[in-house]
Amino acid sequence: MEAAQPARQEESGVLSKLARAVERIAQSDGDYLTAIPELSLHRRSATTEPMHCLYGFGVGITVSGQKRVALGEEVFDYSAGQSLLTTADLPVVTHITHASPAQPFMGLMLRLDPRTVVQAAAEMALPQPGKDSSYRAMSLGALDATLLGAVTRLVELIDEPRLLPQLAPLLQREILVRLLAGRHGPQLQRLVAVGSPSQQVVQSMAWLKVNFTQPVLADDLAASVHMSPSTFRQHFRAVAGMSPMQYLKQLRLQEARQLMLNQGIDAGTAGVRVGYESASQFSREYARLFGAPPLRDIRRMRETT
């Protein structure tokens, strides 16, 4: 107990330093791209409404405030000092749950490169996780002071553009190695375990992200990774928190929403572009996911932005 107290104090001190580094850049509400392409910073001074979006391969860190991410029926609440690792492209619902002008939500997202993960894991000669280890493409964990320190140095490096090209890759590598050696390590290792069911599912998810406009049958996906349909569905749900067809449906509907919102495309055309043959089915499934038919939903989103 006595040993844990200094560790918590050290983490609190490093977290405060990270918060100051983020705040120097994110001085008002918004999403900030940085000179480090893989790193973005985020700030909100009020809670937000739930928003559907796609999380890619990377780690999100809450610096202050609290955020909620829902993956299927599973809910992840993460607050200051906690991180959310995502190891596949996942459709989620997310919103800020604790934020105020005096104590805003601040966070960052660092995208990871799967090839670099594979290389680092091989060089570290980490023990392979057991076959019975559960794998979910999203995991929550607290960060220790050493990892927080590496992230802080990466954010601070933005203020040193002359040194950034040489030092940023080294700090990103350090962060990845510490993730592999820490509590997120087993999830990353399961991802890179060649021939494992989880890796085969992630490959199927990557294929769906590129080919979601095509007609797709779950049985064909299962056959492509040499699994029976029932086994494939079981592994897919374990990784993604939803069935293959639910995953495909969310990819299509989220893309259709972006087409209508950003390009002014009408609902009928958007539905066809993302793979729907029936306009009524598209409208029905859209309303079920987003809470309103396409035209009303897009009008509501434009009024709130």
Side-chain angles (χ1 to χ4, degrees), residues 151-232:
V151 173
T152 302
R153 294 196 303 276
L154 184 66
V155 176
E156 290 176 336
L157 188 62
I158 296 169
D159 293 330
E160 300 184 88
R162 188 171 61 87
L163 301 179
L164 191 146
Q166 287 72 37
L167 294 183
L170 299 178
L171 286 170
Q172 289 172 271
R173 174 79 172 192
E174 178 184 351
I175 291 167
L176 175 56
V177 168
R178 291 191 182 280
L179 285 170
L180 279 163
R183 64 182 61 201
H184 285 307
Q187 302 304 107
L188 286 169
Q189 289 173 253
R190 295 284 290 183
L191 171 69
V192 302
V194 177
S196 68
S198 55
Q199 189 194 51
Q200 292 171 320
V201 166
V202 170
Q203 289 173 347
S204 295
M205 294 166 71
W207 186 89
L208 283 172
K209 189 187 176 188
V210 175
N211 299 281
F212 62 85
T213 61
Q214 300 181 18
V216 177
L217 295 176
D219 288 4
D220 292 340
L221 287 173
S224 70
V225 293
H226 311 291
M227 291 187 197
S228 70
S230 60
T231 299
F232 178 72

Side-chain angles (χ1 to χ4, degrees), residues 15-283:
L15 187 61
S16 297
K17 188 177 181 182
L18 175 58
R20 292 192 296 271
V22 171
E23 194 166 23
R24 279 199 299 272
I25 299 168
Q27 297 182 11
S28 59
D29 284 7
D31 303 311
Y32 295 79
L33 301 178
T34 73
I36 301 169
E38 298 80 12
L39 177 67
S40 60
L41 309 179
H42 310 272
R43 176 174 176 148
R44 300 289 186 274
S45 58
T47 58
T48 61
E49 293 298 316
M51 179 180 68
H52 291 262
C53 60
L54 194 69
Y55 270 21
F57 186 23
V59 60
I61 299 173
T62 295
V63 180
S64 63
Q66 188 174 54
K67 189 174 189 178
R68 171 170 291 181
V69 176
L71 173 63
E73 297 179 353
E74 191 167 3
V75 174
F76 299 87
D77 287 305
Y78 67 118
S79 53
Q82 292 186 304
S83 60
L84 190 69
L85 176 73
T86 306
T87 54
D89 295 310
L90 296 174
V92 299
V93 181
T94 178
H95 65 291
I96 308 301
T97 53
H98 290 80
S100 68
Q103 294 182 314
F105 168 86
M106 290 191 294
L108 60 87
M109 176 64 70
L110 180 64
R111 295 199 309 274
L112 302 175
D113 178 16
R115 291 169 298 181
T116 307
V117 174
V118 172
Q119 181 183 11
E123 291 175 357
M124 294 171 70
L126 296 169
Q128 291 293 316
K131 292 184 178 180
D132 295 332
S133 300
S134 61
Y135 173 79
R136 175 61 61 87
M138 186 168 276
S139 61
L140 181 67
L143 297 180
D144 60 29
T146 54
L147 186 44
L148 283 170
V151 173
T152 302
R153 294 196 303 276
L154 184 66
V155 176
E156 290 176 336
L157 188 62
I158 296 169
D159 293 330
E160 300 184 88
R162 188 171 61 87
L163 301 179
L164 191 146
Q166 287 72 37
L167 294 183
L170 299 178
L171 286 170
Q172 289 172 271
R173 174 79 172 192
E174 178 184 351
I175 291 167
L176 175 56
V177 168
R178 291 191 182 280
L179 285 170
L180 279 163
R183 64 182 61 201
H184 285 307
Q187 302 304 107
L188 286 169
Q189 289 173 253
R190 295 284 290 183
L191 171 69
V192 302
V194 177
S196 68
S198 55
Q199 189 194 51
Q200 292 171 320
V201 166
V202 170
Q203 289 173 347
S204 295
M205 294 166 71
W207 186 89
L208 283 172
K209 189 187 176 188
V210 175
N211 299 281
F212 62 85
T213 61
Q214 300 181 18
V216 177
L217 295 176
D219 288 4
D220 292 340
L221 287 173
S224 70
V225 293
H226 311 291
M227 291 187 197
S228 70
S230 60
T231 299
F232 178 72
R233 284 192 294 270
Q234 179 184 354
H235 285 296
F236 197 102
R237 185 176 290 276
V239 171
M242 61 192 75
S243 71
M245 292 300 100
Q246 287 172 325
Y247 183 81
L248 174 64
K249 185 187 303 181
Q250 291 211 27
L251 289 179
R252 286 175 169 173
L253 293 174
Q254 289 200 31
E255 175 65 15
R257 196 187 207 193
Q258 292 304 312
L259 288 172
M260 289 184 288
L261 185 63
N262 298 327
Q263 299 183 26
I265 294 173
D266 64 86
T269 302
V272 171
R273 281 203 186 180
V274 300
Y276 280 89
E277 296 181 357
S278 166
S280 60
Q281 181 186 7
F282 168 69
S283 183

